[in-house]
Amino acid sequence: TLQGTKWRLFIELPNQKQQQQSFELLFQGFASQPNKGIVQLMNTNNSDQPTTGRWLSKPSEIRRGSVQLSARWKVKVPGITDASSSYIFKGFIRAKPTLSAGGGTIEAEMTGTILSVETEETVGKFRAELIAINISDDELSM
């Protein structure tokens, strides 16, 4: 699940002046639904206010003994002022198959496409690196 994770997000939107931007993503879940929740997107390059949206994840495949997840979320991207500043992010998470019960390092990456909310056509792509897990609600600052 994405619940309680923090990611470094790199997006590429070819139609924007600043084509590649860097953000941080924080995923907070719902207690009754561990594969759904709220995502907070913060621009690491400037002081724009963070934005929030909804996310969901589901298993996509089993690869080398581990379940791989697909994730989707819809959020307004800070720093973009045109009419289509809200996007749908659709990605796949790839992680190493061994997870340590003692909280060891977990390497995971998410890659995918950015879709227009209006047409669901691909308008860009993204890559994200896992930077923290088991983030508490206090650290999510929501």
Side-chain angles (χ1 to χ4, degrees):
T1 181
L2 289 171
Q3 185 173 345
T5 61
K6 184 176 184 179
W7 299 75
R8 184 171 297 109
L9 173 69
F10 303 95
I11 68 170
E12 291 182 32
L13 293 167
N15 292 335
Q16 297 300 314
K17 290 179 186 174
Q18 191 176 8
Q19 290 190 3
Q20 185 163 351
Q21 298 182 44
S22 173
F23 299 89
E24 281 189 359
L25 288 170
L26 298 170
F27 290 94
Q28 182 177 14
F30 300 130
S32 62
Q33 298 174 313
N35 294 324
K36 293 182 180 180
I38 306 243
V39 61
Q40 184 179 56
L41 180 68
M42 296 166 296
N43 192 331
T44 57
N45 298 325
N46 61 41
S47 61
D48 289 331
Q49 289 293 322
T51 61
T52 59
R54 299 282 183 154
W55 66 268
L56 65 90
S57 67
K58 61 183 180 178
S60 63
E61 65 181 345
I62 297 177
R63 179 182 270 190
R64 296 182 184 161
S66 68
V67 176
Q68 304 297 314
L69 297 176
S70 69
R72 184 176 258 216
W73 67 92
K74 178 181 166 186
V75 69
K76 183 175 176 141
V77 177
I80 296 178
T81 56
D82 63 13
S84 53
S85 60
S86 290
Y87 297 97
I88 298 169
F89 290 76
K90 182 179 177 184
F92 295 92
I93 301 167
R94 302 283 183 245
K96 300 266 180 161
T98 55
L99 301 181
S100 163
T105 303
I106 298 173
E107 291 182 31
E109 182 178 67
M110 187 179 347
T111 56
T113 56
I114 303 171
L115 309 174
S116 160
V117 170
E118 294 82 20
T119 63
E120 291 202 18
E121 292 179 356
T122 300
V123 295
K125 61 184 178 177
F126 75 91
R127 178 179 59 84
E129 302 165 350
L130 181 66
I131 56 177
I133 58 171
N134 297 324
I135 304 295
S136 70
D137 286 345
D138 292 339
E139 292 176 89
L140 289 171
S141 67
M142 302 215 33

